[in-house]
Amino acid sequence: MITPCSSPGCPCCRRHAVHIHELHDAFESSTDAAIDETTSCLGSITRSAAFETMPPEILDRIVQYVDDESILPLCHALPYFKYISTAMFDFAQRFPYEVYSRIISKHGGNVHVYCGKEVLNYLGVLPDVLSVHPGGKNDSTTAWTKFLRGLADAKKRIRCCIMDIVSAKGNLDEIARQLTRLQIQYLVWDTEDDLTEEIQEALPRISGLSYLGVHLPTDIGENILSRCLNLTEVAFARLLELEHSADPVACILRLIKGSRIHKVWCKTLSQHGFMYGLELLETISTDFLKHGWHKEIHEDEDRVCFVHRHA
């Protein structure tokens, strides 16, 4: 199964959605002054004409920041983008993978795929960049190994990889090896079992890894993150499930010592109840602030981010 990249659980998608009206407002404010300055010598200039006469390189950059609800209105407003709406229509009618994939790749997009052997049958017509999600109850160690090997053999680049292996207690050497063959920007370990030693040792060798999501700071050994040269963000899904006495901030700071990490994310929900989670989050925020980290609240997400002041 393939779907456009729009999953609310995908960290890469949450960061790149920009509505077209925001782009229009930004363009409008930047062009007002230019129009006022040049009207005396150039005569009447309309904003729509100015937009349509922008270089293709600029228009191609703009469309990369348009979300799925705004892309069709943009295509209808500017003839230059008609080829996109045409391909979307054809996609629904005849499913021409190759054309649609080329357009997605051209504009820096990616497609969500789910772990499964059927996806491997048409990897050749998928875009260069993919986001990988669990396929369901059959996501065994063997299934993930074959799937990741197929992606690596096809030289796909991975924007986001969310791994949920049904049982990760077996030998994960082969999965770890396949991960090191891939370029992965965001890696989220969503498996119930702890992050195994094999996977931990593979992390520094994953090309382009900039974001890592795990359950708890204790899932990762010391001196692992400092070896991940491109890693700048780490997320903990169950940080608020720790005991107050565990001193989670001290644990995190030890974990990221010597690394390039300047953003730490954590969920705002706790299985111990709302009030417990709220109190622990307040303690964590205070402790981070003492070490030069400030809290950022993202209203559209169920998590907060702590950012180092020198980031």
Side-chain angles (χ1 to χ4, degrees):
M1 178 180 180
I2 307 175
T3 60
C5 187
S6 60
S7 170
C10 180
C12 70
C13 301
R14 289 194 294 261
R15 301 174 184 210
H16 295 89
V18 177
H19 288 283
I20 187 59
H21 68 79
E22 295 172 349
L23 287 169
H24 180 270
D25 292 343
F27 176 78
E28 186 176 76
S29 61
S30 65
T31 55
D32 282 341
I35 291 173
D36 291 340
E37 292 175 2
T38 58
T39 299
S40 58
C41 59
L42 296 179
S44 176
I45 301 177
T46 64
R47 292 190 185 92
S48 61
F51 217 142
E52 291 178 2
T53 55
M54 293 180 74
E57 295 81 4
I58 301 299
L59 294 174
D60 287 341
R61 288 285 293 172
I62 289 174
V63 79
Q64 294 181 26
Y65 298 95
V66 180
D67 65 10
D68 53 357
E69 295 179 357
S70 305
I71 187 64
L72 280 177
L74 177 65
C75 294
H76 293 159
L78 294 176
Y80 175 78
F81 294 121
K82 183 178 180 181
Y83 74 97
I84 296 180
S85 57
T86 299
M88 292 174 70
F89 175 80
D90 290 341
F91 182 82
Q93 298 297 315
R94 299 187 297 275
F95 214 68
Y97 288 107
E98 296 88 346
V99 176
Y100 203 60
S101 295
R102 284 198 299 270
I103 293 174
I104 292 174
S105 297
K106 175 181 178 180
H107 296 291
N110 70 105
V111 164
H112 281 198
V113 295
Y114 296 86
C115 177
K117 60 183 180 180
E118 65 277 1
V119 176
L120 300 178
N121 295 329
Y122 44 81
L123 277 180
V125 295
L126 292 179
D128 298 330
V129 183
L130 303 173
S131 285
V132 177
H133 292 258
K137 61 182 180 180
N138 295 321
D139 286 353
S140 63
T141 303
T142 302
W144 271 103
T145 299
K146 292 180 179 178
F147 187 65
L148 294 174
R149 183 187 295 119
L151 296 178
D153 290 344
K155 301 187 185 307
K156 298 298 182 183
R157 302 193 306 276
I158 310 301
R159 176 75 57 80
C160 175
C161 180
I162 301 177
M163 299 192 67
D164 186 0
I165 304 175
V166 173
S167 177
K169 295 180 179 179
N171 191 327
L172 296 185
D173 281 343
E174 189 58 27
I175 285 185
R177 193 176 81 84
Q178 298 307 324
L179 288 174
T180 62
R181 295 179 61 209
L182 290 162
Q183 179 179 322
I184 304 175
Q185 187 175 358
Y186 302 91
L187 177 63
V188 178
W189 184 261
D190 203 28
T191 300
E192 287 298 320
D193 297 304
D194 295 338
L195 199 63
T196 64
E197 184 176 346
E198 300 98 323
I199 302 298
Q200 291 189 53
E201 288 299 323
L203 295 177
R205 294 182 286 130
I206 297 177
S207 175
L209 183 63
S210 64
Y211 176 106
L212 175 65
V214 295
H215 291 158
L216 295 167
T218 52
D219 291 346
I220 309 174
E222 294 187 15
N223 303 320
I224 294 292
L225 301 186
S226 61
R227 292 158 50 199
C228 300
L229 301 183
N230 296 308
L231 191 64
T232 58
E233 302 180 50
V234 63
F236 302 105
R238 299 180 180 176
L239 189 63
L240 298 188
E241 296 178 14
L242 291 173
E243 298 292 336
H244 281 273
S245 59
D247 199 355
V249 172
C251 181
I252 292 173
L253 294 179
R254 285 196 302 270
L255 187 66
I256 67 176
K257 183 178 180 180
S259 73
R260 299 182 179 181
I261 293 173
H262 60 262
K263 286 188 176 181
V264 175
W265 297 82
C266 80
K267 292 276 190 178
T268 57
L269 302 176
S270 172
Q271 67 175 6
H272 299 306
F274 175 77
M275 290 307 299
Y276 179 91
L278 188 63
E279 292 175 2
L280 182 54
L281 182 59
E282 187 62 32
T283 300
I284 291 173
S285 301
T286 301
D287 290 346
F288 263 122
L289 187 60
K290 292 177 181 177
H291 292 87
W293 296 67
H294 66 272
K295 181 173 66 175
E296 288 185 354
I297 299 177
H298 297 254
E299 296 181 356
D300 60 334
E301 300 187 42
D302 60 348
R303 58 186 193 158
V304 296
C305 179
F306 297 98
V307 184
H308 195 269
R309 62 187 173 189
H310 296 310

